[in-house]
């Protein structure tokens, strides 16, 4: 039972805290995703954000906040 806690439950809670911190620190501005999409965050809602890319203003909605690589 203790092994189960350290192998499954604890890492999951740690990742949830990390995701919550990233979600709360996300602001409107320039950002790059893990897949290499570069754009500007134009809207933030509960668990999603909208990224606007390029001069043609294509908007992409992301639900997975782990796809963020860096913020500048």
């Amino acid at each position: 039972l203790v092994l189960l806690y350290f192998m499954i439950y604890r890492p999951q809670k740690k990742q949830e805290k990390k995701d919550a911190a990233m979600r709360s620190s996300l602001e409107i501005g320039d950002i790059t995703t893990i897949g290499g999409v570069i754009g500007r965050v134009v809207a933030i809602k509960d668990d999603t954000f909208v990224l606007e890319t390029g001069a043609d203003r294509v908007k992409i909605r992301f639900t997975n906040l782990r796809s963020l690589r860096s913020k500048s």
Side-chain angles (χ1 to χ4, degrees):
L1 187 61
V2 174
L3 182 64
L4 182 66
Y5 172 78
F6 282 107
M7 295 293 291
I8 297 173
Y9 185 72
R10 189 166 180 238
Q12 181 180 359
K13 286 297 180 182
K14 214 173 181 182
Q15 186 64 44
E16 286 175 6
K17 285 182 183 179
K18 186 177 175 184
D19 290 346
M22 181 182 290
R23 195 175 304 119
S24 66
S25 70
L26 188 62
E27 298 174 350
I28 294 179
D30 294 338
I31 203 160
T32 303
T33 65
I34 289 174
V37 177
I38 300 171
R40 189 172 74 88
V41 176
V42 293
I44 303 170
K45 292 192 179 175
D46 296 327
D47 290 339
T48 63
F49 65 96
V50 178
L51 189 71
E52 182 178 86
T53 63
D56 55 358
R57 297 177 149 309
V58 173
K59 292 183 180 175
I60 305 169
R61 182 175 308 250
F62 288 90
T63 58
N64 184 357
L65 293 177
R66 293 180 189 163
S67 64
L68 298 177
R69 182 174 65 190
S70 63
K71 188 165 71 169
S72 50

